Amino acid sequence: AALWGVVAGAGGLSAAGGPAAAEGGGRDSKWNGKWSDPKHDNCERTIYISFDGTKGKLVGLDSADGPEGACEAATMQSKWSLPVRLNSGDADEIVIQETRRSVITRLARGDGKDSNDVVVKWVGRGVIEFPDGTQWRKRR
């Protein structure tokens, strides 16, 4: 519940069904919501899209034991957030701006760049696909 309060006050971002969505403005994006990441089972992955549908953030929790750690067994988790952008509210692609860690593996990228844009495609029926073929499914 506390997470929703923080998100609702942070730039009008909302996830499907959250308090910010009920406060009005814009239609709900298909990208909004919680996602299952097969490379990080049971680790939080939530996309929040702004009311205008062109920007937002991806918020995640990883095991403090590192990228390979299991979230359900972790007593400590580290939170991260990455900016996202879309061309429109119903776009079939979203761009995630990675920092020094890969959004897919959560390992250091090692390419010497501070950031990198990752284009993720909407496959359909609540499935998105990353450039390496990894697919996340929307949680119900």
Side-chain angles (χ1 to χ4, degrees), residues 50-110:
S50 66
F51 289 123
D52 72 2
T54 62
K55 59 189 173 294
K57 64 183 175 178
L58 167 61
V59 176
L61 286 173
D62 289 338
S63 169
D65 296 330
E68 302 302 318
C71 285
E72 69 273 3
T75 55
M76 297 287 295
Q77 295 182 348
S78 58
K79 186 174 186 173
W80 50 269
S81 177
L82 300 172
V84 302
R85 66 183 185 279
L86 303 93
N87 287 332
S88 68
D90 64 351
D92 285 335
E93 291 184 346
I94 191 170
V95 178
I96 301 172
Q97 185 180 352
E98 293 177 321
T99 53
R100 294 184 181 260
R101 291 190 176 274
S102 163
V103 68
I104 301 166
T105 65
R106 301 301 303 144
L107 297 170
R109 286 194 345 266

Side-chain angles (χ1 to χ4, degrees), residues 19-32:
E23 291 174 1
R27 69 179 186 150
D28 200 20
S29 171
K30 62 188 175 188
W31 297 92
N32 269 336

